[in-house]
Amino acid sequence: MSLDLPLTRNVRADRSPTDLKAYEANGGYRGMKAAIGKLSPADCLQIIKDSNLRGRGGAGFPTGMKWSFVPMDDASPGHKYLICNADEMEPGTFKDRLLLECDPHQLIEGMICAAYTIQADLAYIFIRAEYHKAAELLREAIAACYERGYLGNNILGSDYSLQMQVHSSAGRYICGEETALISSLEGKRANPRAKPPFPQVSGLWGRPTIVNNVETLCNIHHIIERGADWFQGLGLTEDAGTKLYGVSGRVKRPGCWELPIGTPIREIIERHAGGMEDGYRLRGFLPGGGSTDFLTPEHLDLAMDYGTIGKAGSRMGTGTMIILDDKTCPVGFVKNLMEFFARESCGFCTPCRDGLPWSAQVLDDIEGGRGRPEDMDTLARQVEFIGAIGNTHCALAPGAMEPLQSAMKYFREDFERHISGSACPFCDGGAH
Amino acid sequence: MLTGDCMSELIPVVSDGETALSAAEIALIDAEIAHVPYRSAVAIDALKIVQAQRGWVSDESLRAIARHLRMSAAELDGVATFYNLIFRRPVGEQVILLCNSISCWIKGCDTLQAQISERLGIGLGETTADNRYTLLPVTCLGACDKAPVLMVGEELHEDVSAQSLRELLAGSGDDR
Amino acid sequence: MPTITIDGVAYEVEAGRNLLESCLSLGLDLPYFCWHPAMGSIGACRQCAVVQYQNAEDNRGRIVMGCMTPVTDGAIFSLSGDKARHFREAIVESLMLNHPHDCPVCAEGGECHLQDMTVMVGHRDRHYRGRKNTHRNQYLGPLINHEMNRCITCYRCTRYYRDYAGGTDLAAMAAHDHIYFGRHQEGVLQSEFAGNLVEVCPTGVFTDKSLVHDYTRKWDLQSAPSVCTACAVGCNTIPGERYGRLKRVHNRFNAEVNGYFLCDRGRFGAGFVNSDRALEFPGLREADGRYRALDHHDALHRMMDSCAAGKVAGIGSPRASVEANYLLRLLAGTDNFAPGFSDAEQDLVNLALRLQQQSAAVTPDIRTIESADAVLVLGEDVTNTAPRIALALRQSVRNKAYEMAAGLRLETWQDAAIRNLAQQQRSPLFIAAVADTPLDDVATRRLSLAPEGIAALGQAVAAGISGAASATPGSTSGEAVDIVAALARASRPLVIAGTGCGSAAVLQAAAEVANALCSSGRQAMLCLCVPEANSLGQAMLAGPKAPNLGALEERARAGEIDTLVVLENDLYRRGNSAGIDALLAECRNVIVLDGLDNATTSAATLVLPAANFAESEGTLVSLEGRAQRYYPLFQPREERRPSWVWLLACMKELERPDVHSLHHFDDITRACAADIPALAGITAAAPDLHYLNLGVKIPRQPSRYSGRTAMRANISVHEPKQREDEETPLAFTMEGLNRSQPGALLPWVWSPGWNSNQSLHKFQTHAGGPLKGGTAGVRLLHPGAAGGHRISDITAPATAAASAAPDLWQLVPRPRIFGSDELSALSPGLAELVVPGFIELSPADAGRLGVATGDGVDVGDGIATLEVRVNATMTTGCAGYSAGFAGSGNLAPLARVTLQRAANWQRRPQLIGSDRGNGSGSSHV
Ligand SMILES: Cc1cc2nc3c(=O)[nH]c(=O)nc-3n(C[C@H](O)[C@H](O)[C@H](O)COP(=O)(O)O)c2cc1C
Ligand code: SF4
Ligand code: FES
């Protein structure tokens, strides 16, 4: 089968990194060369818009549309910035690491094309602290690009110049939220910022700024080189392109694969991940990281794309699924996530800062056999209180409520058994 | 990069018991400052640079950085204490970052933690008596397909089992 | 004006405001925490949630934050729907998870915004069963108490402290529900405006330490509208009393002056009222030099006898009221009345007054200073002389940010967004001073120059603006070019100078810059600072021809004064001690009226205990020429009387015809206004005695004033009748109305459901706007009315410009916020922060003298011996001295003196860091 899988074509089985030479030998930097000096920024923007590329960082916002808010030319003298969000910390998400560690040049080329399109003069890669190896590889790759004239002043002899830097973070999940990331890049506490103004007009140092996910950016030069139609054609459903899908939990072959967007869930779990481990049954799964709603076996035949998963009551998120099996306690599962989000709250707004620890406390009581019937009401109230975008300052807390609210829907009897039996029926803490 | 082996020599002491930044630290921080519109913008980089040299960021180190960045110690402390990987208390020679997020939890990170604790005699946030290890929880390490995982220093260890943990910590704690 | 619908009712609201402000302005109660009218919105607490509907068909709506939502025409909201109400209740319940519920022992209790909001949202039952987080508190200095467990993490403290007031030593630490607001290490909060935290914090994290230790609930405080007497800015205050003790000072909102904020000298500097040095009985000096207590009849007769017998001279006081000074001037006669400044200061204050009266430039009020888009400060260290102006200047430099924000159509209340947009870009602020100033951090540039250099710079700038060739070629001209460019680009340029650096030439130069700006068609502002609460009023009263202390001394030596009456003035702070000794010794009778024991009362033959600002009424004229009235909040104890009462009684005894028709305080005000043209406006400073609010006087006690009947129950169960106030429109009672009266008569703020000072919006025309009854005070200087006399027509008194001999240093005053003002420095909390008197030298000069910080130097020939501080920013050749400090009284500004290492100097023991948690920050200088 000759699937066109542009993002992982340089990914080798042993996950060894691709250097500049190998990258170029395999057609690398052709997208960049097709753009700079050949296409105007407006042309590039149009191609990205036409391609229907949607952000791979979790929210799925159309990339071309996001970029179109950046003031261009006379409207914006002075600096503009492009930031690659390589802060990957969403629980259960392990896709960007693959791209960063296996093919750093792909990201750099995508960033050069993106920066050219919005006419940014400085690009940052904001990478989480623990990705030491990836940061090292990126630094090396960037140095190689400077040497080769792909970065720096007058790229390819054009009048376009771009500097690129790697910023290694100091921890905290909230740094992945794009405005918190900007605060952090400015050397401050990573509190998110209210929108408007959007970063596209007032971002890093108050200047127009675009933040995109690693995977999003890795697509750009492919699209520019091969066209919007090609990209559209990659997807199986109305969404365009390929997507990195992952599965973790009790499956036979947990992993991450590039597949056409819209690949059915069943195919991902059963074919690519090898199905459930022996002795485990599938009870449910979070389709795209820790802040998405549970789906259940009845959803297995849905296509993994933004629209379909959305209609099923969840979100495609990062596209990396977390499997809940029948021997793992759903309450413990949600409690683990809730404790994560409570700990990672930036502490700026009340519902998140105080509401998440409270929810975690209630879940801990239920899991520990100290639950009371009225706790279910408390949790339901918390879901309503915290769960809607707009109730909180940023999307962390509403995201945190998604697994809880859907667990209360699909696994309600498990909660009730904990409470009525004053113990966790899955025994010691649920995980084994 | 300098190593922390001869830290005391690298860190000159200024008056009032305050420490100063070493020339190497200053060089690294100044290189960062060259890229930003104002000095305090490199606060996080500077904290990381100094931590890489000294293992952690003491009050004295923090004030030395603040002086160099011409910002107040309070403001820098506000930044330092926000981020979980800036250590404002001493840590052991190696920091064990144990992922306790969801996929690793499903695959038994609690058991792993218990094994580490038993072996090293420390709980989360604690440092072994011989100062070799500090154990900290960490957010999902982006290796969920290889759960459970942990990092020791800068090294990621995947699919950690009781067996591989024993090898990893060989020579430490209760080594029977 | 957009029309919005709230709960089905259509309202017209003002464009450009957010929904929360608009609701409050409409009188609708919408709870909030993190929003502050002076600081705008950040959307952190999520308390002000309302439901917004897309359109008439939308019946679900979505939660939005009132403070973050602009009011747009046709918008539909619900405040009272279940969804919004439940959300707001959940917010309070969440904030309460870790709150200790220690209201009974909390100094905020009873005026706590958190209590109010809790009641307002109806939260009652606690569902949380977990443990509470607890924090360790920090020692933050003698003024402010820290109790972190009460924190609800609204971020108001750091937003105020850091973003608004420029303080750097308080920050948010840690993350998630561990957030902690504190210092890097324990120690004194360094901002001169830290005290506002007490009012900014919506709960009891930051409280007034003196109140904590001498506690009274807000509803048990008797209070009155007052005016801060600690400097010339004239901030409006609400001091509160119980059992004859001043318990605390709160801000009294005045849209044109202090707005919501005071400085720490003002807030914590009134503690002298409770001093055990307060005089309670008249004292007559006996032959043995000891004082015998008299009753007030006796004292009056003594005074009358002295005044009847011979030639009388009077020395007034720039810290006493216009009325008391006016009576003394009547008593002594115009020619025998000295206003009570030091001789140098008298010239400077007269000059400052004249320059402003004759300038085409506007004399800005404090709020208008915030609107300046380019500022030049010549010689004045406003943080230390007129502190509230420094806070206003910190806002003025943000105009650049507001300009940028307008470009993105951001409303001014979008605080975080605007700060993120502008980052560290600021409007121009140039400061020329003899050394560093606390505003340097926001200044475009600060130049260290000697006073002549500052004046020359000003002249060069003025010349540059006028287009004339630089008058003084030399080193400053390069700097002048930048300043000229910045001022010329501005649409609201401001020039600030003052008496603080002791130089008439600097005042003159500042006025010329402002005038040049006006001539070039700009609406320039000129702000000239003077030192004391009534300095300007005193200059207006006494006039330019009044004798000074030196003149009186000569007359005394010539035997021309038999009786000298000194009004609320410690003369030893005003002149050389030998001269003052001579003056007092040459007069047979020295009658001193004052509130506290001091060097001058100790030299008096008769001392009359004078009521202080908290026990009396009076008018003061602030540096912007605003006449303002203060009122007694409690009865003076024992034989203390307001000075005007002593003086009027004495003149009545003397059967002086000029006081024949004067009976009440108001009569004096009126007589003074009729007599002194410059003060003609003072009768309008506040309503007179007959003002009634809907038929009743205004109560000094809030309606909940409790326990009054119990206070004397151990003596008698019958409650004594409350004293009638025969002089003011206020009453010593809790009955009456406190609503919509003029701002000058606002004794406290409270409104049903709003026990905290946040109730203020109920008294404002709109949330954050001026008071409903009108702004307190009346301007006596008419901004820009002079229409542009050429300033150079006024000749400044020549400063004694002795040729700069190499072994002479020029003394330059370096006033300090804590210590330079006489009375505030005696207040217990502040007294701890007053440093010993000092001489500041440049490193080069210190090297020449062979001294280091902590050593002593002898100034001149035995004039003073002071501690050295080496200051790298000090202009070489200048010696900055602790103006107004004990031990600095003999130093005259701009005098050229010798300096010498002091021989037998004992260095002070050094405070070791661990003595108080943090050695780095135990003083404010
Ligand atoms: C709490 C939180 C954490 C986030 N973490 C990440 C992250 O680690 N990586 C990422 O790419 N996007 C993350 N996002 C999404 C970003 O805010 C942003 O939408 C994204 O980087 C935009 O890129 P895209 O348009 O290419 O998807 C996070 C969002 C939230 C609310
Ligand atoms: S929801 Fe609020 S507290 Fe939570 S991370 Fe976002 S801004 Fe911070
Ligand atoms: S007052 Fe609106 S969110 Fe705090």
Side-chain angles (χ1 to χ4, degrees), chain C residues 301-313 331 559-564 588-589 591 650 654 656:
Chain C
H301 281 114
R302 299 272 175 181
M303 180 181 188
M304 189 195 75
D305 290 346
S306 306
C307 291
K311 283 167 275 184
V312 179
L331 174 68
E560 290 171 22
I561 305 175
D562 298 311
T563 298
L564 179 68
R588 191 158 12 104
N589 304 306
I591 303 172
C650 169
L654 289 168
R656 290 272 299 254

PDB file of all heavy atoms in Angstrom, chain C residues 301-313 331 559-564 588-589 591 650 654 656:
ATOM      1  N   HIS C 301      -6.011  84.573  81.082  1.00  0.00           N
ATOM      2  CA  HIS C 301      -5.708  85.871  81.686  1.00  0.00           C
ATOM      3  C   HIS C 301      -4.246  86.223  81.587  1.00  0.00           C
ATOM      4  O   HIS C 301      -3.884  87.361  81.293  1.00  0.00           O
ATOM      5  CB  HIS C 301      -6.213  85.901  83.128  1.00  0.00           C
ATOM      6  CG  HIS C 301      -7.693  86.135  83.173  1.00  0.00           C
ATOM      7  ND1 HIS C 301      -8.592  85.193  83.633  1.00  0.00           N
ATOM      8  CD2 HIS C 301      -8.436  87.189  82.756  1.00  0.00           C
ATOM      9  CE1 HIS C 301      -9.818  85.654  83.498  1.00  0.00           C
ATOM     10  NE2 HIS C 301      -9.757  86.881  82.957  1.00  0.00           N
ATOM     11  N   ARG C 302      -3.414  85.230  81.809  1.00  0.00           N
ATOM     12  CA  ARG C 302      -1.973  85.477  81.649  1.00  0.00           C
ATOM     13  C   ARG C 302      -1.674  85.952  80.228  1.00  0.00           C
ATOM     14  O   ARG C 302      -0.921  86.890  80.026  1.00  0.00           O
ATOM     15  CB  ARG C 302      -1.167  84.195  81.888  1.00  0.00           C
ATOM     16  CG  ARG C 302      -1.322  83.612  83.248  1.00  0.00           C
ATOM     17  CD  ARG C 302      -0.302  84.226  84.187  1.00  0.00           C
ATOM     18  NE  ARG C 302      -0.542  83.742  85.532  1.00  0.00           N
ATOM     19  CZ  ARG C 302       0.167  84.114  86.579  1.00  0.00           C
ATOM     20  NH1 ARG C 302       1.155  84.987  86.436  1.00  0.00           N
ATOM     21  NH2 ARG C 302      -0.108  83.657  87.769  1.00  0.00           N
ATOM     22  N   MET C 303      -2.280  85.241  79.292  1.00  0.00           N
ATOM     23  CA  MET C 303      -2.010  85.574  77.893  1.00  0.00           C
ATOM     24  C   MET C 303      -2.492  86.998  77.600  1.00  0.00           C
ATOM     25  O   MET C 303      -1.797  87.811  76.994  1.00  0.00           O
ATOM     26  CB  MET C 303      -2.727  84.567  76.994  1.00  0.00           C
ATOM     27  CG  MET C 303      -2.525  84.822  75.500  1.00  0.00           C
ATOM     28  SD  MET C 303      -3.439  83.601  74.541  1.00  0.00           S
ATOM     29  CE  MET C 303      -2.842  83.951  72.908  1.00  0.00           C
ATOM     30  N   MET C 304      -3.709  87.286  78.083  1.00  0.00           N
ATOM     31  CA  MET C 304      -4.287  88.600  77.828  1.00  0.00           C
ATOM     32  C   MET C 304      -3.410  89.687  78.445  1.00  0.00           C
ATOM     33  O   MET C 304      -3.116  90.687  77.803  1.00  0.00           O
ATOM     34  CB  MET C 304      -5.682  88.633  78.417  1.00  0.00           C
ATOM     35  CG  MET C 304      -6.450  89.857  78.040  1.00  0.00           C
ATOM     36  SD  MET C 304      -7.875  90.009  79.093  1.00  0.00           S
ATOM     37  CE  MET C 304      -7.117  90.572  80.592  1.00  0.00           C
ATOM     38  N   ASP C 305      -2.987  89.440  79.660  1.00  0.00           N
ATOM     39  CA  ASP C 305      -2.145  90.439  80.333  1.00  0.00           C
ATOM     40  C   ASP C 305      -0.890  90.716  79.524  1.00  0.00           C
ATOM     41  O   ASP C 305      -0.509  91.860  79.312  1.00  0.00           O
ATOM     42  CB  ASP C 305      -1.745  89.936  81.723  1.00  0.00           C
ATOM     43  CG  ASP C 305      -2.940  89.920  82.671  1.00  0.00           C
ATOM     44  OD1 ASP C 305      -3.979  90.552  82.315  1.00  0.00           O
ATOM     45  OD2 ASP C 305      -2.856  89.262  83.715  1.00  0.00           O
ATOM     46  N   SER C 306      -0.261  89.645  79.073  1.00  0.00           N
ATOM     47  CA  SER C 306       0.977  89.821  78.308  1.00  0.00           C
ATOM     48  C   SER C 306       0.718  90.609  77.044  1.00  0.00           C
ATOM     49  O   SER C 306       1.502  91.468  76.644  1.00  0.00           O
ATOM     50  CB  SER C 306       1.581  88.470  77.921  1.00  0.00           C
ATOM     51  OG  SER C 306       1.753  87.689  79.069  1.00  0.00           O
ATOM     52  N   CYS C 307      -0.379  90.275  76.389  1.00  0.00           N
ATOM     53  CA  CYS C 307      -0.642  90.917  75.099  1.00  0.00           C
ATOM     54  C   CYS C 307      -1.080  92.371  75.284  1.00  0.00           C
ATOM     55  O   CYS C 307      -0.849  93.212  74.416  1.00  0.00           O
ATOM     56  CB  CYS C 307      -1.704  90.149  74.320  1.00  0.00           C
ATOM     57  SG  CYS C 307      -1.103  88.543  73.776  1.00  0.00           S
ATOM     58  N   ALA C 308      -1.713  92.641  76.411  1.00  0.00           N
ATOM     59  CA  ALA C 308      -2.190  93.998  76.641  1.00  0.00           C
ATOM     60  C   ALA C 308      -1.030  94.923  76.998  1.00  0.00           C
ATOM     61  O   ALA C 308      -1.046  96.114  76.716  1.00  0.00           O
ATOM     62  CB  ALA C 308      -3.233  93.993  77.746  1.00  0.00           C
ATOM     63  N   ALA C 309      -0.005  94.349  77.612  1.00  0.00           N
ATOM     64  CA  ALA C 309       1.009  95.168  78.240  1.00  0.00           C
ATOM     65  C   ALA C 309       1.979  95.836  77.292  1.00  0.00           C
ATOM     66  O   ALA C 309       2.461  96.924  77.548  1.00  0.00           O
ATOM     67  CB  ALA C 309       1.785  94.313  79.247  1.00  0.00           C
ATOM     68  N   GLY C 310       2.318  95.187  76.188  1.00  0.00           N
ATOM     69  CA  GLY C 310       3.386  95.788  75.391  1.00  0.00           C
ATOM     70  C   GLY C 310       3.270  95.450  73.937  1.00  0.00           C
ATOM     71  O   GLY C 310       2.195  95.127  73.424  1.00  0.00           O
ATOM     72  N   LYS C 311       4.424  95.506  73.303  1.00  0.00           N
ATOM     73  CA  LYS C 311       4.443  95.269  71.864  1.00  0.00           C
ATOM     74  C   LYS C 311       4.400  93.771  71.592  1.00  0.00           C
ATOM     75  O   LYS C 311       5.170  92.999  72.149  1.00  0.00           O
ATOM     76  CB  LYS C 311       5.700  95.894  71.246  1.00  0.00           C
ATOM     77  CG  LYS C 311       5.549  97.412  71.104  1.00  0.00           C
ATOM     78  CD  LYS C 311       6.854  98.099  70.803  1.00  0.00           C
ATOM     79  CE  LYS C 311       7.611  98.395  72.114  1.00  0.00           C
ATOM     80  NZ  LYS C 311       8.844  99.133  71.952  1.00  0.00           N
ATOM     81  N   VAL C 312       3.472  93.393  70.720  1.00  0.00           N
ATOM     82  CA  VAL C 312       3.250  91.972  70.453  1.00  0.00           C
ATOM     83  C   VAL C 312       3.723  91.639  69.043  1.00  0.00           C
ATOM     84  O   VAL C 312       3.473  92.393  68.109  1.00  0.00           O
ATOM     85  CB  VAL C 312       1.753  91.626  70.579  1.00  0.00           C
ATOM     86  CG1 VAL C 312       1.505  90.152  70.271  1.00  0.00           C
ATOM     87  CG2 VAL C 312       1.243  91.991  71.967  1.00  0.00           C
ATOM     88  N   ALA C 313       4.395  90.517  68.952  1.00  0.00           N
ATOM     89  CA  ALA C 313       4.698  89.977  67.621  1.00  0.00           C
ATOM     90  C   ALA C 313       4.191  88.546  67.569  1.00  0.00           C
ATOM     91  O   ALA C 313       4.068  87.894  68.604  1.00  0.00           O
ATOM     92  CB  ALA C 313       6.187  90.016  67.328  1.00  0.00           C
ATOM     93  N   LEU C 331      -4.085  89.583  65.834  1.00  0.00           N
ATOM     94  CA  LEU C 331      -3.640  89.904  67.193  1.00  0.00           C
ATOM     95  C   LEU C 331      -2.356  90.727  67.171  1.00  0.00           C
ATOM     96  O   LEU C 331      -2.240  91.746  67.862  1.00  0.00           O
ATOM     97  CB  LEU C 331      -3.430  88.602  67.982  1.00  0.00           C
ATOM     98  CG  LEU C 331      -2.835  88.735  69.381  1.00  0.00           C
ATOM     99  CD1 LEU C 331      -3.833  89.430  70.316  1.00  0.00           C
ATOM    100  CD2 LEU C 331      -2.473  87.371  69.960  1.00  0.00           C
ATOM    101  N   GLY C 559      14.842  95.372  71.228  1.00  0.00           N
ATOM    102  CA  GLY C 559      13.887  95.613  72.310  1.00  0.00           C
ATOM    103  C   GLY C 559      12.516  96.000  71.808  1.00  0.00           C
ATOM    104  O   GLY C 559      11.724  96.593  72.535  1.00  0.00           O
ATOM    105  N   GLU C 560      12.200  95.664  70.574  1.00  0.00           N
ATOM    106  CA  GLU C 560      10.920  96.093  70.025  1.00  0.00           C
ATOM    107  C   GLU C 560       9.806  95.079  70.229  1.00  0.00           C
ATOM    108  O   GLU C 560       8.685  95.284  69.793  1.00  0.00           O
ATOM    109  CB  GLU C 560      11.078  96.390  68.514  1.00  0.00           C
ATOM    110  CG  GLU C 560      11.915  97.636  68.255  1.00  0.00           C
ATOM    111  CD  GLU C 560      12.247  97.812  66.780  1.00  0.00           C
ATOM    112  OE1 GLU C 560      11.525  97.255  65.935  1.00  0.00           O
ATOM    113  OE2 GLU C 560      13.253  98.485  66.485  1.00  0.00           O
ATOM    114  N   ILE C 561      10.114  93.934  70.835  1.00  0.00           N
ATOM    115  CA  ILE C 561       9.067  92.942  71.077  1.00  0.00           C
ATOM    116  C   ILE C 561       9.021  92.620  72.557  1.00  0.00           C
ATOM    117  O   ILE C 561      10.024  92.224  73.154  1.00  0.00           O
ATOM    118  CB  ILE C 561       9.338  91.649  70.289  1.00  0.00           C
ATOM    119  CG1 ILE C 561       9.500  91.937  68.789  1.00  0.00           C
ATOM    120  CG2 ILE C 561       8.222  90.636  70.527  1.00  0.00           C
ATOM    121  CD1 ILE C 561       9.875  90.738  67.960  1.00  0.00           C
ATOM    122  N   ASP C 562       7.834  92.802  73.145  1.00  0.00           N
ATOM    123  CA  ASP C 562       7.676  92.404  74.546  1.00  0.00           C
ATOM    124  C   ASP C 562       7.115  91.000  74.631  1.00  0.00           C
ATOM    125  O   ASP C 562       7.558  90.185  75.414  1.00  0.00           O
ATOM    126  CB  ASP C 562       6.725  93.369  75.258  1.00  0.00           C
ATOM    127  CG  ASP C 562       7.283  94.771  75.250  1.00  0.00           C
ATOM    128  OD1 ASP C 562       8.469  94.915  75.619  1.00  0.00           O
ATOM    129  OD2 ASP C 562       6.553  95.698  74.833  1.00  0.00           O
ATOM    130  N   THR C 563       6.099  90.781  73.817  1.00  0.00           N
ATOM    131  CA  THR C 563       5.423  89.491  73.875  1.00  0.00           C
ATOM    132  C   THR C 563       5.449  88.855  72.497  1.00  0.00           C
ATOM    133  O   THR C 563       5.046  89.473  71.517  1.00  0.00           O
ATOM    134  CB  THR C 563       3.966  89.668  74.335  1.00  0.00           C
ATOM    135  OG1 THR C 563       3.994  90.211  75.653  1.00  0.00           O
ATOM    136  CG2 THR C 563       3.227  88.339  74.326  1.00  0.00           C
ATOM    137  N   LEU C 564       5.938  87.639  72.497  1.00  0.00           N
ATOM    138  CA  LEU C 564       5.977  86.899  71.238  1.00  0.00           C
ATOM    139  C   LEU C 564       5.009  85.733  71.349  1.00  0.00           C
ATOM    140  O   LEU C 564       5.091  84.951  72.298  1.00  0.00           O
ATOM    141  CB  LEU C 564       7.399  86.383  70.986  1.00  0.00           C
ATOM    142  CG  LEU C 564       7.585  85.572  69.701  1.00  0.00           C
ATOM    143  CD1 LEU C 564       7.409  86.451  68.473  1.00  0.00           C
ATOM    144  CD2 LEU C 564       8.970  84.910  69.683  1.00  0.00           C
ATOM    145  N   ARG C 588      10.162  89.278  76.551  1.00  0.00           N
ATOM    146  CA  ARG C 588       9.838  89.065  77.961  1.00  0.00           C
ATOM    147  C   ARG C 588       8.854  87.898  78.100  1.00  0.00           C
ATOM    148  O   ARG C 588       9.006  87.030  78.930  1.00  0.00           O
ATOM    149  CB  ARG C 588       9.248  90.345  78.555  1.00  0.00           C
ATOM    150  CG  ARG C 588       9.125  90.287  80.049  1.00  0.00           C
ATOM    151  CD  ARG C 588       9.051  91.666  80.709  1.00  0.00           C
ATOM    152  NE  ARG C 588       8.831  92.792  79.807  1.00  0.00           N
ATOM    153  CZ  ARG C 588       7.666  93.437  79.660  1.00  0.00           C
ATOM    154  NH1 ARG C 588       6.596  93.052  80.328  1.00  0.00           N
ATOM    155  NH2 ARG C 588       7.570  94.484  78.854  1.00  0.00           N
ATOM    156  N   ASN C 589       7.841  87.939  77.253  1.00  0.00           N
ATOM    157  CA  ASN C 589       6.857  86.862  77.305  1.00  0.00           C
ATOM    158  C   ASN C 589       6.910  86.080  76.004  1.00  0.00           C
ATOM    159  O   ASN C 589       6.800  86.669  74.940  1.00  0.00           O
ATOM    160  CB  ASN C 589       5.446  87.417  77.453  1.00  0.00           C
ATOM    161  CG  ASN C 589       5.342  88.305  78.682  1.00  0.00           C
ATOM    162  OD1 ASN C 589       5.686  87.891  79.789  1.00  0.00           O
ATOM    163  ND2 ASN C 589       4.912  89.540  78.472  1.00  0.00           N
ATOM    164  N   ILE C 591       4.766  83.199  74.403  1.00  0.00           N
ATOM    165  CA  ILE C 591       3.574  82.366  74.551  1.00  0.00           C
ATOM    166  C   ILE C 591       3.542  81.389  73.377  1.00  0.00           C
ATOM    167  O   ILE C 591       3.546  81.815  72.224  1.00  0.00           O
ATOM    168  CB  ILE C 591       2.306  83.233  74.554  1.00  0.00           C
ATOM    169  CG1 ILE C 591       2.420  84.263  75.694  1.00  0.00           C
ATOM    170  CG2 ILE C 591       1.057  82.377  74.677  1.00  0.00           C
ATOM    171  CD1 ILE C 591       1.318  85.298  75.690  1.00  0.00           C
ATOM    172  N   CYS C 650      -8.716  85.128  73.695  1.00  0.00           N
ATOM    173  CA  CYS C 650      -7.786  86.143  74.195  1.00  0.00           C
ATOM    174  C   CYS C 650      -8.145  87.521  73.645  1.00  0.00           C
ATOM    175  O   CYS C 650      -8.215  88.505  74.373  1.00  0.00           O
ATOM    176  CB  CYS C 650      -6.367  85.750  73.817  1.00  0.00           C
ATOM    177  SG  CYS C 650      -5.159  87.045  74.103  1.00  0.00           S
ATOM    178  N   LEU C 654      -9.459  90.931  75.362  1.00  0.00           N
ATOM    179  CA  LEU C 654      -8.814  92.222  75.137  1.00  0.00           C
ATOM    180  C   LEU C 654      -9.789  93.236  74.557  1.00  0.00           C
ATOM    181  O   LEU C 654      -9.422  94.380  74.330  1.00  0.00           O
ATOM    182  CB  LEU C 654      -7.637  92.051  74.163  1.00  0.00           C
ATOM    183  CG  LEU C 654      -6.409  91.310  74.690  1.00  0.00           C
ATOM    184  CD1 LEU C 654      -5.466  90.951  73.550  1.00  0.00           C
ATOM    185  CD2 LEU C 654      -5.686  92.167  75.721  1.00  0.00           C
ATOM    186  N   ARG C 656     -11.006  93.421  71.663  1.00  0.00           N
ATOM    187  CA  ARG C 656     -10.563  93.914  70.367  1.00  0.00           C
ATOM    188  C   ARG C 656     -11.768  94.070  69.443  1.00  0.00           C
ATOM    189  O   ARG C 656     -12.539  93.140  69.259  1.00  0.00           O
ATOM    190  CB  ARG C 656      -9.575  92.925  69.748  1.00  0.00           C
ATOM    191  CG  ARG C 656      -8.238  92.879  70.468  1.00  0.00           C
ATOM    192  CD  ARG C 656      -7.294  93.909  69.914  1.00  0.00           C
ATOM    193  NE  ARG C 656      -7.048  93.637  68.502  1.00  0.00           N
ATOM    194  CZ  ARG C 656      -5.900  93.131  68.051  1.00  0.00           C
ATOM    195  NH1 ARG C 656      -4.912  92.870  68.869  1.00  0.00           N
ATOM    196  NH2 ARG C 656      -5.744  92.920  66.753  1.00  0.00           N
TER     197      ARG C 656
END
